[in-house]
Amino acid sequence: MRRPILAGNWKMNLTIAEATDFVRSIRRGLNEIKDVDRVLCPPYTALATVGELVSATEIEVGAQNMYWEEKGAYTGEIAPSMLKELCQYVILGHSERRAYFGETDEGVNRKIKAALAQGLKPIVCVGETEDQYDAGETEAVVSSQLRGGLTDLSAAQVAGLVIAYEPVWAIGTGKAATPAGAGAVIGMHIRGTISELYDESTAQAVRVQYGGSVKPSNVAEFMSHPDIDGALVGGASLKPDFVELVRIASEVASQIA
Ligand code: PEP
């Protein structure tokens, strides 16, 4: 059984003061929901504050990026050991980082290894652009992002990852993938590639989220798909009804279990 995981990617939103108000407003409701992992991913600046605010709860915290080196002359970067003091998870290879900041599969691979070396849990994002989708390249894109990102990782390391399938055309657009479409990519292409690279038990062990315009009104459909183990949520994770979204996800997951 894979434990579902719901993560909120706040992106570049919320000051420390705003994050404090928001977390105070959702933490009790979020903490009461059982049987799913709940992760808040604020900007670096709010990690410590959010970590303190949820320290007496089961809610976990994640960063949205990091560098692969441990220290040195890398102005503006954050090392894995620095994050280890502040959070449990780190999102790596988000499509916005790939599109705007030149992240490559090789860089994502280095970051995954560096995160694992510090005991951080990576949430590794993959997904095709709209042009790639239209050209029928989804399988090729997702498979090559995984092959590059997972290079030289052991089966045990891969089994412990969280992978987020996020079609770029669905992120922040309100145009979510269909649960059947996302489930097929996850089941056939993501688990399929991991099965080819490793083995079927590794492919069945790894948790795979769907991300892209998930909201309270559509999360149940995604959670009903047997290959989808949760969601990476952007815009809807900044609203108070993120609690409702996670509650619905947990209820659907417990009905299926
Ligand atoms: C994301 O940024 O990872 C994301 C899925 O965003 P949204 O939910 O807003 O589409």
Side-chain angles (χ1 to χ4, degrees):
M1 268 310 286
R2 300 181 297 260
R3 184 175 164 91
I5 174 167
L6 283 293
N9 173 16
W10 292 5
K11 312 194 188 195
M12 196 174 73
N13 292 292
L14 304 192
T15 63
I16 293 174
E18 290 166 343
T20 301
D21 287 348
F22 181 56
V23 173
R24 282 196 177 130
S25 75
I26 62 167
R27 76 180 155 185
R28 184 196 284 192
L30 209 49
N31 191 42
E32 281 169 0
I33 303 165
K34 300 296 170 198
D35 304 324
V36 294
D37 288 340
R38 292 136 286 168
V39 187
L40 300 177
C41 303
Y44 291 131
T45 45
L47 278 173
T49 302
V50 172
E52 278 166 32
L53 286 166
V54 301
S55 60
T57 74
E58 292 173 4
I59 301 164
E60 296 177 287
V61 180
Q64 300 172 18
N65 181 34
M66 52 159 238
Y67 195 48
W68 58 73
E69 293 289 352
E70 264 310 329
K71 61 167 76 167
Y74 304 104
T75 302
E77 293 294 336
I78 303 283
S81 56
M82 297 171 184
L83 290 186
K84 186 63 184 146
E85 294 180 326
L86 296 166
C87 60
Q88 297 78 38
Y89 286 86
V90 58
I91 299 172
L92 297 174
H94 191 280
S95 62
E96 286 151 16
R97 298 222 48 91
R98 293 177 189 261
Y100 306 142
F101 303 101
E103 291 222 346
T104 62
D105 294 330
E106 192 205 340
V108 172
N109 178 245
R110 287 183 180 214
K111 290 182 179 189
I112 294 172
K113 289 175 184 160
L116 291 173
Q118 280 296 337
L120 287 162
K121 299 178 208 172
I123 298 175
V124 181
C125 302
V126 297
E128 79 286 0
T129 64
E130 186 151 35
D131 285 349
Q132 291 165 334
Y133 176 80
D134 289 342
E137 293 170 0
T138 300
E139 176 176 5
V141 169
V142 165
S143 171
S144 111
Q145 287 174 334
L146 284 173
R147 285 168 201 277
L150 304 184
T151 301
D152 295 333
L153 294 182
S154 70
Q157 286 175 318
V158 171
L161 297 176
V162 176
I163 293 175
Y165 169 55
E166 298 208 306
V168 179
W169 47 270
I171 297 180
T173 59
K175 202 173 79 179
T178 63
V185 173
I186 292 171
M188 292 195 308
H189 307 328
I190 295 183
R191 295 197 198 282
T193 299
I194 293 172
S195 178
E196 263 177 49
L197 291 172
Y198 297 92
D199 51 56
E200 189 52 24
S201 76
T202 306
Q204 290 305 323
V206 65
R207 295 189 290 177
V208 188
Q209 300 172 307
Y210 165 73
S213 298
V214 175
K215 47 195 176 197
S217 60
N218 64 13
V219 68
E221 302 168 57
F222 288 105
M223 294 304 297
S224 302
H225 195 288
D227 274 308
I228 301 180
D229 305 316
L232 182 55
V233 184
S237 74
L238 291 161
K239 298 182 186 149
D241 64 3
F242 182 58
V243 176
E244 192 53 22
L245 187 159
V246 176
R247 183 174 296 119
I248 294 167
S250 158
E251 281 168 10
V252 174
S254 65
Q255 281 160 16
I256 292 171

